[in-house]
Amino acid sequence: MELQPVYIIEELEQLKTVSDPLRYKVLLYLIEKAYTGQQLAKLLGMARAKVHYHLNELEKHGFITVIRTELKNGIVQKFYRAVARGFVPSEALLPYVSEVENYYREATLNALGRARIRAIEAPEEAFQIPSPDRTHWHRMATQIEVKMSKEKFAQWLSKFRALIFELDAQQEEQGDWFYLTTVGFQINEPSFDPVEEVKEEK
């Protein structure tokens, strides 16, 4: 099964369904690969019945589908998979400000949480420095705060997304696997103090 690049969320009920923190976490796992309810329950440390309830809700609203079944010890096991790599509310839902905000906040938090897990599980080699020259490094971790208009920031993000798509299109048959995640959003105030210039005494 090939995932759609983007699934457009058209209905408010769909948006509310996927904005649930646990459901979004389940959906994030199913974007990566197919799982059974039992496998997800073990990953999440939760009761199987609770996970199956959330799976049913996600399937009912079109976010996931059963891609195969297997018979194990006389029990039919369903393997679920997300229908797309990304999920975006349609323009028709933009007036529902709090619901859209909740969705994107949950999406951002889950992306960060998943990145943390991936970093913990990464091999030691991922964090070794191959050379003093930073241009040879195959890892990055950076934070930056910038002050500019929303329009200018949106324009820059558009260029950055294009760069991500370019990276995705350049994949090779041979090579190592790398993981990249990014988040960007407006903040109330900066956390980093400005660097003060040290004036030399005369």
Side-chain angles (χ1 to χ4, degrees):
M1 171 190 169
E2 188 173 344
L3 276 65
Q4 302 173 41
V6 177
Y7 177 93
I8 305 299
I9 303 170
E10 299 286 358
E11 300 173 9
L12 181 59
E13 199 58 39
Q14 282 184 301
L15 188 61
K16 289 180 178 179
T17 296
V18 78
S19 295
D20 176 89
L22 179 56
R23 282 184 207 140
Y24 196 91
K25 189 176 287 188
V26 168
L27 185 61
L28 208 59
Y29 274 110
L30 296 178
I31 287 172
E32 294 180 5
K33 61 178 72 173
Y35 287 102
T36 65
Q38 183 176 355
Q39 289 170 332
L40 286 167
K42 188 174 181 181
L43 278 170
L44 297 166
M46 294 179 56
R48 196 185 313 173
K50 188 171 184 179
V51 171
H52 275 289
Y53 168 75
H54 290 298
L55 285 171
N56 289 336
E57 288 296 303
L58 288 168
E59 185 180 21
K60 182 172 75 175
H61 289 93
F63 294 108
I64 64 173
T65 187
V66 176
I67 61 165
R68 72 176 188 274
T69 58
E70 290 181 7
L71 190 64
K72 188 175 181 180
N73 299 326
I75 300 171
V76 176
Q77 293 189 323
K78 295 179 181 180
F79 284 81
Y80 296 89
R81 190 79 198 267
V83 299
R85 293 172 64 180
F87 298 83
V88 178
S90 72
E91 289 184 12
L93 294 176
L94 296 183
Y96 299 98
V97 177
S98 64
E99 286 83 359
V100 172
E101 177 191 328
N102 288 340
Y103 170 74
Y104 279 121
R105 191 183 301 274
E106 202 53 51
T108 300
L109 289 170
N110 272 283
L112 291 169
R114 195 71 190 111
R116 179 180 180 275
I117 292 169
R118 297 295 294 269
I120 290 169
E121 295 175 346
E124 290 181 10
E125 180 188 359
F127 304 106
Q128 293 169 357
I129 298 177
S131 162
D133 184 352
R134 282 176 177 263
T135 61
H136 295 162
W137 292 11
H138 50 260
R139 62 160 294 279
M140 67 173 286
T142 186
Q143 296 182 76
I144 186 172
E145 295 172 341
V146 294
K147 189 173 185 180
M148 60 180 60
S149 69
K150 290 185 177 71
E151 292 76 19
K152 190 171 181 180
F153 187 62
Q155 288 170 7
W156 187 89
L157 285 181
S158 181
K159 294 177 186 176
F160 185 69
R161 287 190 195 97
L163 204 58
I164 296 295
F165 294 142
E166 179 186 320
L167 176 67
D168 191 36
Q170 290 180 9
Q171 294 197 52
E172 302 170 336
E173 287 293 326
Q174 302 297 321
D176 298 303
W177 283 103
F178 296 91
Y179 173 76
L180 179 68
T181 188
T182 58
V183 298
F185 45 85
Q186 184 179 347
I187 55 177
N188 290 322
E189 57 186 28
S191 294
F192 305 148
D193 285 337
V195 178
E196 296 179 4
E197 291 186 11
V198 178
K199 294 182 179 178
E200 293 183 8
E201 293 184 8
K202 292 183 180 179

